[in-house]
Amino acid sequence: MGVPCVRVPREEGERTRQRLAEADLVGDGYDITVEEGRLYVPVSDASAVPDGFDVVEFDAPVREGQTMPADLLGFEPSYERLGELVIIDEDDPERAQQIADAIVESDLPVEGVLNRASKIKGTERVRDWDVLAGKTTTVVHREYGCAFELDLAEVYFSPRLATERHRVVEQVEAGEHAFDMFAGVGPFVVPFAERGATCVGTDINGVAIEYLRKNAERNGVADRVTAIHGDVREVAGDYEGWADRIVMNLPHSADEFLDTAVALAGDDCTIHYYDIQPDTDSFGPGERAIRAAAEPTYEVTVETRRRVRSYAPGEHNVVLDARLRR
Ligand SMILES: C[S@@+](CC[C@H](N)C(=O)[O-])C[C@H]1O[C@@H](n2cnc3c(N)ncnc32)[C@H](O)[C@@H]1O
């Protein structure tokens, strides 16, 4: 049976394996294989593999002695890894429990299995979970070398955005001022600070802010991170004209916060603006909203328009990197 693998020339194998391991993406249970001069590294989540890698289905051998959930179930279940937790998305409770039992019984290193029990909801963008195995919804997840502790029952977090976050992180320069308006547990702020940026993260969810502080400590960047609990519109007054970079990851309503973003922006500021729009006009609404808020005080250049992931049939989660120059 084919499993998703990153395919690279053999001589790039170790470097690639390390990069995937840092992102917690190397698949358990299957062997890394060499065939015709190319190396196949099994991955746990093909959609999270950074752009530029060649992801293919490959018949990688099951690691000797490993029992995988599919061996016990007789079918391949779909699941996501978040640290030592496994997340599934099953409507049928019986099937969900059967999959959870098989995951626990398998050789996967797992502390618990959670099933999605609601959509993401409310201002804090948190969902309900059914705990099908284990006792906790709290986990330590690793992403590109940073560790994030979080409680899925209390805060928003999606491992599927790892590649996109990394794309943004790679643009950050030491010494810059970065403001994350909807910071969550810090998946932008912490790696920004690791690159030497001075960061401010705000969130209306007090539990997320507590985790952001813990995660800044855990990753050794607390001296460059200010975490503020509150509505960003009320906090922004203290940081007018401060930011060289702003992250706005609140896709359904970011447009309502653009006046605040413009108030935060310094003379030359890049805004990473996340949106959910139909495929018929993925970027137009965001670009028009940014221009309406920033022009003519700023000259606006949209430097990147990118589809991050599919959200629903005919709709994508997209990002615009917009540069504002006064
Ligand atoms: C989609 S999550 C993004 C979290 C984080 N940036 C990430 O990528 O994991 C949006 C976050 O915005 C926060 N939020 C919603 N409205 C807010 C507001 N008015 N001011 C500050 N934070 C807000 C929510 O609590 C939530 O943690």
Side-chain angles (χ1 to χ4, degrees):
M1 189 204 60
V3 291
C5 290
V6 166
R7 178 172 62 184
V8 285
R10 190 179 185 154
E11 50 282 9
E12 289 171 26
E14 182 50 21
R15 197 158 52 89
T16 303
R17 191 201 62 75
Q18 273 181 17
R19 197 162 160 216
L20 294 170
E22 271 178 23
D24 203 15
L25 282 172
V26 177
D28 299 306
Y30 296 93
D31 282 336
I32 296 175
T33 310
V34 183
E35 197 175 275
E36 293 177 358
R38 289 191 290 188
L39 199 85
Y40 292 81
V41 185
V43 290
S44 52
D45 179 1
S47 66
V49 172
D51 290 343
F53 283 117
D54 186 16
V55 181
V56 295
E57 288 282 310
F58 179 74
D59 198 6
V62 172
R63 190 166 299 154
E64 189 128 344
Q66 292 264 318
T67 304
M68 297 301 283
D71 299 327
L72 302 163
L73 289 165
F75 62 88
E76 190 69 57
S78 128
Y79 58 85
E80 249 178 289
R81 301 286 302 274
L82 186 74
E84 303 279 281
L85 292 179
V86 171
I87 295 171
I88 61 174
D89 189 6
E90 294 291 335
D91 292 336
D92 175 354
E94 252 177 58
R95 182 180 152 99
Q97 194 60 59
Q98 187 193 9
I99 293 172
D101 293 345
I103 287 170
V104 170
E105 214 183 301
S106 75
D107 287 326
L108 291 176
V110 167
E111 273 181 14
V113 182
L114 309 182
N115 192 19
R116 293 190 170 96
S118 77
K119 289 191 183 306
I120 284 178
K121 53 188 182 170
T123 311
E124 298 181 353
R125 315 305 296 144
V126 180
R127 73 167 89 232
D128 299 330
W129 298 92
D130 287 332
V131 180
L132 300 181
K135 290 192 171 66
T136 182
T137 48
T138 302
V139 72
V140 178
H141 173 70
R142 285 178 192 283
E143 188 171 293
Y144 288 97
C146 295
F148 299 100
E149 185 182 344
L150 58 112
D151 182 350
L152 276 176
E154 300 279 356
V155 301
Y156 172 92
F157 188 83
S158 172
R160 292 182 188 170
L161 296 175
T163 310
E164 167 55 22
R165 287 194 276 257
H166 189 61
R167 182 190 73 82
V168 175
V169 167
E170 286 191 311
Q171 299 174 32
V172 172
E173 285 173 15
E176 70 173 53
H177 287 178
F179 197 114
D180 188 344
M181 295 171 66
F182 313 105
V185 303
F188 285 101
V189 163
V190 169
F192 284 8
E194 281 211 330
R195 284 176 74 94
T198 300
C199 303
V200 177
T202 52
D203 205 290
I204 208 160
N205 180 346
V207 179
I209 286 295
E210 282 308 310
Y211 277 117
L212 170 48
R213 289 194 185 118
K214 270 194 196 177
N215 290 329
E217 289 280 348
R218 181 185 275 272
N219 292 279
V221 294
D223 56 331
R224 288 194 292 285
V225 171
T226 304
I228 304 173
H229 174 210
D231 186 323
V232 64
R233 289 170 289 208
E234 282 155 27
V235 175
D238 293 340
Y239 289 91
E240 264 179 35
W242 181 85
D244 304 313
R245 185 179 306 281
I246 296 173
V247 179
M248 301 183 73
N249 183 17
L250 187 65
H252 288 286
S253 42
D255 58 332
E256 295 164 24
F257 293 83
L258 275 166
D259 289 342
T260 304
V262 171
L264 289 168
D267 289 343
D268 186 347
C269 176
T270 299
I271 299 185
H272 306 280
Y273 179 89
Y274 292 87
D275 205 358
I276 288 173
Q277 292 294 343
D279 295 346
T280 45
D281 187 11
S282 297
F283 305 106
E287 179 164 351
R288 286 190 289 277
I290 294 167
R291 288 190 186 284
E295 289 173 343
T297 311
Y298 288 90
E299 182 189 47
V300 175
T301 317
V302 177
E303 297 190 330
T304 305
R305 296 174 180 83
R306 180 169 187 266
R307 288 189 170 162
V308 177
R309 59 176 173 156
S310 167
Y311 179 74
E315 272 189 330
H316 269 84
N317 183 186
V318 299
V319 60
L320 292 102
D321 296 347
R323 187 145 172 207
L324 273 53
R325 273 171 282 202
R326 205 192 284 270

